[in-house]
């Protein structure tokens, strides 16, 4: 059940971090100038194309025929069918009207979509949960001869926002459902209490519920004899990674290394944001469960690699480091400053803290120049999550020349039209009553929908104009509620009545430049619509100086970051995670050996959490690891979230599936008329890897039934410092299953590139022998510009075994799933390549590698 929780509405200097909810929200979606294609053009597919043939339509991953889908729900096996329920909007292709969709399969591969199962109504939305078969008729909903299937879901009360646990039941194999008249069955009056996973616990002959207190980073365990009356057993947490809300928990036992006499329990806790790859992620703990309490295995105290301390901020001043502005004060801080919450995690008595004067102050703190002669720079960092953005400039810059469509300086809106009451009768002259200071606009007027606070709503729409330049530039601030959300605060470009571009603020009052590339819309007639349909925290938008230009405007840096500068350019950057607790971070210095560099702490943000904390800069031969890196993850990719497992699977098997998306950009992915897919179901196991018990996964065995008969095979291939096709045409395609084994030689990086072609497009699936990491690079994987959070490289730790690296790679029309070793390293990423990009290549960098053997199967669609 995932969603965005608004920032707290109080207009304070210290703004709480934006939280997100497992089934409830439109998530943390991109606030930059995202490209949102119209529904007809979203996938460049003709409107009359038959279903499931669209440009990016998955062929062997489940996706609904149309509309929005997120978390898997209610996973249960009953009478020969695996049931997959899922969060679903029956009324559109963006998050909203949360209900339970439904599909069934006999083999976890071939899915049949069924009618809507549990629907939202005027009073509630149906958030995430689970389903069980009530074999002993403990509820009285069925009979012992014909037991009921019972869904336990989170009911969101639309009137109050309270989340409580509720029941629905079916006596016809899940085809029709009745909501229990006694709902809710578990209500603690919380707005952050969700995602129940229920199972039968045989030792006590009772039902066990695992459910999250999301913002407290806790999981609660309850017991019941009848699914209606629940008793609290215990709590677990906070523990592990806590950078975002905890959602969609799951608890289950597994034998260790196949030994059923040695069983451990796994607690999966999905988290957003703050996942290992950024945004959404699936964390897990291994431990013991005694029927009441879960106890995680002790991971011990972390000690970072030894090294040479180059700055510990223990002196009364900054020494040879140079400060500008006022944010860092005259010297290191002895912990928290006036108006700041408690600061923790720093070493010694002092640290660098840019909260001098509060978040409104700015400045830099720069080290003297040094020659890079170490492998890694380790340090502690905290404060705001405002990372360095490439392409930003340090201070205000004039926009490119062009045609001004609106500067909001005339005392009224002119020929723009308004609805509602959020925008008033005329532009605002700056900050409105009870609003934090608004800055970054030009002149004396701007659009500001904070009239009477966040509770007001409305629209402001321009007259028609012709797109006759390459870019539309404008200043924007305010709330981060994208156009794809149910209640947006957004600037939208309309062509033929469809939203084709959209941008939001970033939950800050400062306006900054945004730019839409509109070359493809040349000659089109368009309108700009500014929308405020949000009544909660940050439910307003600020806009100014909209213009047509031949060049893109450069946004101003709003970062709070620790940067490494080489030749005056930022080559490495790290920020806090919206917390006053410092954690370890590391810069890999090896690419810059022998070069001149500086360390620079930057605070250019005046909004909430607009400060940076840093300490203990140390050069070392190995990288320090953050809490997030030390946590255990079921998947290291960007697109595996809300992972939960099936109950009652035959043979006691434990199969798991995750939502193949990320709340950072979920509402902006370029697909239509559907949005999102589920991962391939995976068989889970516990294995001992390097002395530690790890949760591992591999694709469900029945997936092999989709393999076309003949595989393309390559054996004994050595590649040196190059990339070349793997085999002939039979080793190419848009839907592939690849097995490959490499023998390490001296190449620093090697692997396979898939979906290659079409002007240099490629998705790189490689192994870095220098860091012992599996990685996926999707920076050139086709359409990547709809969110600045999308392109990038995802990494997972993976040690070679006996000098060999084994990979299993699943390639679909819009995704890759990579399983390294024996399933201990898994990376799931969406990709959106050109349909003609079908190649597969083998590569090696800085040396040679031997491909012992590779087999490539083309996969049929499960719908064939």
């Amino acid at each position: 059940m995932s969603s965005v929780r608004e920032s707290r509405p109080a207009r304070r200097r210290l703004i709480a971090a934006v939280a997100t909810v497992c089934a409830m929200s439109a998530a943390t979606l991109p606030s930059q100038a995202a490209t949102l294609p119209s529904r007809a053009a979203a996938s460049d597919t003709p409107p009359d194309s038959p279903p499931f043939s669209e440009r990016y339509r998955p062929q062997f991953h489940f996706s609904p025929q149309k509309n929005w889908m997120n978390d898997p729900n209610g996973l249960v096996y009953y009478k020969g069918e695996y049931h997959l329920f899922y969060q679903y909007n029956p009324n559109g292709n963006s998050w909203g009207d949360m209900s339970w969709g439904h599909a069934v399969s006999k083999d976890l591969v071939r899915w049949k979509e069924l009618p809507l199962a549990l629907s939202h109504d005027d009073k509630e939305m149906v958030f995430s949960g689970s389903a069980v078969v009530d074999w002993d008729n403990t509820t009285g909903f069925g009979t012992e001869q014909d037991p009921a299937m019972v869904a336990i879901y989170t009911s969101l009360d639309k009137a109050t926002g309270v989340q409580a646990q509720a029941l629905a039941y079916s006596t016809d194999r899940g085809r029709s459902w009745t909501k229990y008249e006694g709902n809710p069955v578990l209500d603690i009056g919380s707005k952050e209490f969700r995602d129940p996973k229920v199972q039968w616990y045989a030792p006590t002959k009772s039902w066990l519920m695992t459910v999250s207190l999301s913002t407290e980073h806790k999981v609660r365990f309850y017991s019941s004899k009848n699914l209606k009356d629940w008793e609290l057993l215990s709590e677990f947490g906070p523990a592990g990674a806590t950078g975002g809300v905890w959602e969609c928990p799951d608890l289950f036992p597994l034998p260790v290394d196949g030994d059923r006499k040695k069983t451990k329990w796994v607690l999966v806790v999905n988290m957003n944001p703050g996942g290992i790859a950024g945004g959404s992620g699936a964390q897990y703990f291994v431990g013991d469960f005694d029927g009441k309490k879960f106890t995680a295995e002790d991971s011990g105290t972390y000690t970072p690699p030894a090294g040479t301390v180059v700055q510990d901020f223990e002196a009364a001043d900054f020494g040879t480091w140079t400060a500008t502005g006022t944010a860092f004060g005259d010297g290191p801080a002895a912990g928290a400053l006036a108006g700041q919450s408690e600061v923790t995690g720093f070493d010694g008595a002092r640290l660098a803290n840019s909260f001098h004067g509060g978040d409104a102050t700015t400045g830099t703190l720069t080290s003297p120049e040094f020659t890079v002669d170490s492998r890694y720079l380790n340090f502690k960092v905290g404060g705001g999550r405002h990372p360095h953005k490439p392409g930003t400039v340090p201070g205000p810059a004039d926009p490119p020349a062009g045609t001004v469509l609106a500067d909001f300086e005339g005392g009224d809106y002119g020929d723009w039209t308004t609805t509602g009451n959020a925008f008033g009768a005329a532009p605002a002259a700056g900050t409105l009553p009870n609003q934090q200071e608004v800055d970054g606009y030009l002149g004396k007027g701007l659009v500001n929908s904070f009239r009477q606070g966040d509770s007001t709503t409305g629209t402001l729409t321009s007259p028609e104009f012709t797109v006759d330049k390459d870019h539309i530039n404008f200043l924007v601030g305010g709330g981060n509620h994208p156009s794809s959300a149910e209640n947006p605060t957004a600037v939208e470009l309309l062509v033929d009545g469809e939203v084709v571009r959209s941008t939001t603020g970033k939950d800050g009052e400062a306006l900054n430049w945004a730019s839409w590339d509109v070359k493809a819309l040349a000659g089109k007639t368009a309108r700009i619509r500014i929308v405020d349909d949000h009544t909660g925290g940050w439910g307003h938008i600020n806009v100014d100086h909209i213009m047509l230009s031949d060049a893109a405007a450069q946004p101003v840096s709003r970062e709070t970051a620790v940067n490494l500068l080489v030749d005056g350019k930022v080559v490495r950057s790290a920020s806090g995670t919206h917390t006053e607790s410092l954690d370890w971070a590391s810069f890999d210095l090896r690419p810059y050996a022998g070069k001149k560099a500086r360390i620079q702490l930057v605070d250019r943000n005046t909004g909430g959490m607009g400060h940076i904390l840093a300490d203990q800069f140390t050069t070392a031969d190995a990288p320090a690891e953050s809490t997030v890196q030390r946590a255990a993850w079921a998947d290291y990719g960007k697109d595996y979230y809300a992972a939960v497992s099936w109950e009652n699977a035959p043979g006691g098997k434990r199969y798991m599936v995750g939502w193949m998306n990320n709340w950072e950009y979920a509402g902006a992915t370029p697909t239509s008329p559907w949005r999102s897919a589920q991962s391939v179901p995976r068989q889970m196991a516990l294995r001992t890897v390097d002395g530690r018990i790890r949760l591992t996964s591999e694709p469900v065995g029945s997936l092999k039934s989709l393999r076309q008969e003949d595989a393309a095979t390559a054996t004994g291939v050595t590649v040196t410092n190059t990339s070349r096709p793997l085999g002939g045409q039979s080793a190419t395609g848009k839907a592939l299953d690849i097995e490959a084994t490499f023998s390490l030689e001296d190449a620093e990086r090697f692997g396979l590139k898939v979906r290659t072609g079409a002007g240099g497009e490629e998705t790189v699936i490689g192994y870095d022998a220098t860091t012992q990491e599996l990685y996926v690079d999707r920076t050139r994987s086709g359409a990547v510009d709809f969110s600045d959070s999308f392109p990038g490289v995802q990494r997972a730790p993976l040690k070679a075994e006996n000098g060999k690296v084994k990979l299993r790679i699943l390639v679909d029309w819009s995704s890759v799933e990579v399983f390294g070793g024996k399933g201990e390293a898994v990376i799931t990423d969406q990709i959106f390549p050109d349909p003609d990009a079908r190649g597969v290549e083998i590569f090696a960098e800085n040396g040679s590698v031997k491909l012992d053997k590779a087999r490539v199967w083309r996969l049929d669609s499960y719908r064939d």
Side-chain angles (χ1 to χ4, degrees):
M1 170 195 91
S2 221
S3 91
V4 146
R5 299 298 306 162
E6 304 97 348
S7 295
R8 303 308 180 205
R11 300 293 172 196
R12 296 173 288 125
R13 271 248 190 255
L14 293 177
I15 301 293
V18 177
T20 47
V21 182
C22 188
M24 150 186 170
S25 106
T28 307
L29 297 170
S31 56
Q32 74 289 348
T35 298
L36 293 180
S38 64
R39 293 194 180 193
S43 52
D44 294 339
T45 302
D48 57 352
S49 294
F52 303 109
S53 66
E54 300 91 349
R55 182 184 183 100
Y56 300 127
R57 173 68 76 170
Q59 297 301 295
F60 58 91
H61 293 82
F62 176 78
S63 60
Q65 180 171 338
K66 63 179 182 179
N67 296 344
W68 170 276
M69 173 180 71
N70 55 285
D71 307 352
N73 297 156
L75 307 183
V76 67
Y77 179 82
Y78 183 50
K79 291 189 175 179
E81 292 180 324
Y82 293 92
H83 290 263
L84 168 65
F85 300 92
Y86 47 88
Q87 289 288 279
Y88 185 67
N89 180 1
N91 299 316
N93 201 20
S94 59
W95 185 94
D97 294 337
M98 283 294 95
S99 306
W100 277 24
H102 190 191
V104 294
S105 173
K106 294 184 181 299
D107 62 359
L108 289 172
V109 172
R110 295 166 178 83
W111 293 97
K112 178 182 179 181
E113 188 174 351
L114 297 178
L116 190 69
L118 301 177
S119 178
H120 73 100
D121 57 33
D122 292 341
K123 295 182 179 180
E124 72 169 1
M125 280 201 280
V126 181
F127 282 1
S128 292
S130 53
V132 297
V133 178
D134 188 12
W135 296 104
D136 296 329
N137 197 30
T138 64
T139 58
F141 293 153
T143 66
E144 291 190 14
Q145 292 73 35
D146 191 13
M149 186 184 297
V150 182
I152 307 93
Y153 66 92
T154 295
S155 169
L156 171 76
D157 189 311
K158 291 183 176 181
T160 65
V162 168
Q163 299 174 10
Q165 316 320 316
L167 305 179
Y169 60 93
S170 170
T171 56
D172 60 359
R173 297 183 302 123
R175 269 56 177 182
S176 62
W177 291 84
T178 301
K179 292 181 180 178
Y180 175 47
E181 291 182 357
N183 283 338
V185 296
L186 181 56
D187 183 359
I188 63 172
S190 171
K191 296 182 180 180
E192 305 288 349
F193 179 54
R194 53 182 175 270
D195 312 337
K197 177 64 189 290
V198 174
Q199 61 190 288
W200 181 252
Y201 187 69
T204 59
K205 297 182 179 179
S206 59
W207 298 103
L208 172 66
M209 178 192 292
T210 307
V211 62
S212 70
L213 288 169
S214 61
T215 57
E216 297 180 39
H217 306 116
K218 292 181 179 180
V219 170
R220 277 189 171 182
F221 302 101
Y222 289 87
S223 180
S224 174
K225 295 294 185 182
N226 58 10
L227 291 177
K228 301 173 183 177
D229 303 298
W230 293 92
E231 173 188 358
L232 176 63
L233 297 176
S234 65
E235 290 182 351
F236 172 80
T242 56
V245 293
W246 279 16
E247 302 180 320
C248 303
D250 193 4
L251 179 71
F252 51 85
L254 282 174
V256 178
D257 299 322
D259 183 356
R260 295 196 173 275
K261 295 181 180 179
K262 184 182 179 182
T263 295
K264 288 287 184 179
W265 286 76
V266 179
L267 176 63
V268 176
V269 181
N270 293 271
M271 189 177 73
N272 179 58
I276 183 62
S280 312
Q283 180 181 199
Y284 71 89
F285 302 89
V286 175
D288 298 300
F289 183 71
D290 63 5
K292 292 186 176 181
K293 182 180 180 180
F294 175 80
T295 304
E297 292 194 330
D298 186 1
S299 57
T301 301
Y302 177 67
T303 301
T308 302
V309 176
V310 296
Q311 176 59 279
D312 59 8
F313 299 111
E314 290 301 300
D317 58 27
F318 291 124
T320 57
W321 289 47
T322 305
T324 67
T326 59
F328 291 94
D330 297 327
L337 297 167
Q340 188 175 24
S341 300
E342 181 184 7
V343 174
T344 61
F346 61 99
D347 291 353
R350 297 174 184 269
L351 76 156
N353 184 343
S354 73
F355 196 73
H356 287 83
D359 279 330
T361 56
T362 61
T364 64
L365 181 61
T366 309
S367 76
E369 190 173 67
F370 61 94
T371 300
V372 176
D373 59 3
S374 299
R375 294 167 61 86
Y376 293 92
L377 177 68
N378 300 328
F379 55 95
K380 286 191 164 185
V381 63
R385 186 192 287 116
H386 306 289
H388 171 77
K389 299 285 187 183
T392 58
V393 294
D398 293 332
T403 303
V404 177
L405 297 177
D407 60 9
F408 304 107
E409 295 295 311
D412 59 33
Y413 289 123
D415 49 4
W416 287 55
T417 58
T418 62
T419 65
N421 56 359
F423 295 95
T431 307
L432 294 171
N434 300 315
Q435 187 176 24
Q436 291 182 49
E437 182 179 357
V438 177
D439 61 18
Y441 58 98
L442 301 180
K444 298 180 179 180
L446 77 155
V447 174
N448 185 341
S449 70
F450 196 70
R451 314 274 174 167
Q452 303 175 44
D454 280 329
S455 62
T456 53
T457 60
T459 64
L460 177 63
T461 307
S462 76
E464 288 187 336
F465 62 92
T466 300
V467 178
D468 59 3
K469 295 187 183 300
D470 291 347
H471 296 271
I472 297 177
N473 299 317
F474 53 94
L475 290 161
V476 62
N480 177 13
H481 307 288
S483 183
S484 58
E486 184 179 28
N487 302 109
T489 55
V491 186
E492 301 173 337
L493 181 65
L494 305 179
V495 174
D496 297 328
E498 293 283 349
V499 177
V500 295
R501 302 287 189 274
S502 178
T503 296
T504 73
K506 298 186 178 182
D507 288 344
E509 302 295 9
L511 285 77
N512 208 345
W513 286 108
S515 183
W516 292 324
D517 185 331
V518 291
K519 298 185 192 74
L521 302 174
K524 296 281 189 181
T525 299
R527 295 180 188 269
I528 289 173
R529 181 173 64 193
I530 305 172
V531 181
D532 177 353
D533 193 36
H534 202 99
T535 59
W538 287 108
H540 65 279
I541 189 159
N542 308 326
V543 182
D544 194 22
H545 212 76
I546 303 170
M547 59 189 302
L548 285 160
S549 302
D550 285 328
Q554 286 187 290
V556 175
S557 168
R558 304 291 187 192
E559 67 197 270
T560 55
V562 177
N563 296 331
L564 179 71
L565 279 62
V566 175
D567 296 328
K569 296 181 179 179
V570 177
V571 296
R572 293 283 190 270
S573 185
S575 72
T577 57
H578 276 347
T579 174
E580 305 294 12
S581 179
L582 287 79
D583 199 358
W584 283 105
S586 183
F587 290 157
D588 185 348
L589 302 181
R590 291 173 299 165
Y592 315 108
K595 293 182 178 292
K596 299 294 185 180
R598 294 181 189 271
I599 303 163
Q600 186 173 69
L601 281 57
V602 182
D603 178 353
R604 295 195 177 104
N605 196 295
T606 60
M609 293 299 295
H611 61 278
I612 185 80
L613 312 172
D615 194 20
Q616 206 67 15
F617 286 87
T618 306
T619 56
D621 288 334
E625 293 185 334
S626 67
T627 300
V628 171
Q629 292 172 308
R630 301 195 305 271
W633 301 92
D635 194 296
Y636 287 79
K638 288 280 279 192
D639 295 305
Y640 189 75
Y641 189 60
V644 288
S645 64
W646 269 272
E647 294 297 322
N648 296 356
K653 298 293 179 71
R654 184 61 57 172
Y655 300 116
M656 179 170 279
V657 68
W659 176 48
M660 203 159 59
N661 216 328
N662 190 309
W663 280 120
E664 287 190 328
Y665 44 73
T669 52
T671 64
S672 178
W674 86 102
R675 185 164 278 127
S676 291
Q678 304 293 348
S679 74
V680 164
R682 303 168 182 182
Q683 183 168 344
M684 312 306 292
L686 286 177
R687 294 192 177 100
T688 302
V689 181
D690 292 330
R692 176 185 169 194
I693 299 174
R694 298 275 298 276
L695 182 66
T696 65
S697 60
E698 60 183 359
V700 64
S702 51
L703 182 68
K704 294 179 180 179
S705 67
L706 295 182
R707 290 174 172 175
Q708 295 182 10
E709 206 164 296
D710 295 325
T713 303
T715 57
V717 178
T718 298
V719 177
T720 304
N721 296 328
T722 191
S723 177
R724 72 187 200 197
L726 180 70
Q729 283 298 111
S730 59
T732 67
K734 297 195 296 179
L736 303 171
D737 188 349
I738 304 172
E739 294 180 353
T741 301
F742 294 87
S743 286
L744 272 64
E745 294 189 358
D746 62 349
E748 291 184 2
R749 289 170 295 279
F750 61 84
L752 298 175
K753 299 178 180 181
V754 300
R755 300 301 303 269
T756 65
E761 288 189 10
E762 61 183 17
T763 298
V764 182
I765 299 163
Y767 184 76
D768 189 331
T770 68
T771 60
Q772 299 185 81
E773 290 176 317
L774 176 69
Y775 67 91
V776 173
D777 181 345
R778 64 177 183 187
T779 55
R780 297 176 298 280
S781 297
V784 300
D785 61 351
F786 54 86
S787 165
D788 61 10
S789 298
F790 187 83
V793 181
Q794 281 65 251
R795 297 177 177 272
L798 178 65
K799 289 187 176 181
E801 185 174 357
N802 299 320
K804 297 182 183 294
V805 173
K806 294 184 178 180
L807 303 178
R808 172 90 179 271
I809 303 168
L810 303 179
V811 182
D812 207 340
W813 285 17
S814 57
S815 66
V816 292
E817 290 171 280
V818 185
F819 300 81
K822 296 179 180 178
E824 65 266 30
V826 185
I827 297 176
T828 299
D829 277 351
Q830 293 182 90
I831 57 173
F832 298 101
D834 188 284
D836 292 332
R838 302 175 181 224
V840 179
E841 298 179 5
I842 179 176
F843 77 93
E845 296 178 3
N846 297 330
S848 300
V849 71
K850 180 182 178 183
L851 174 67
D852 295 337
K853 185 174 184 179
R855 290 186 293 176
V856 182
W857 291 269
R858 291 178 177 173
L859 293 184
D860 292 324
S861 170
Y862 75 75
R863 299 178 182 90
D864 291 345

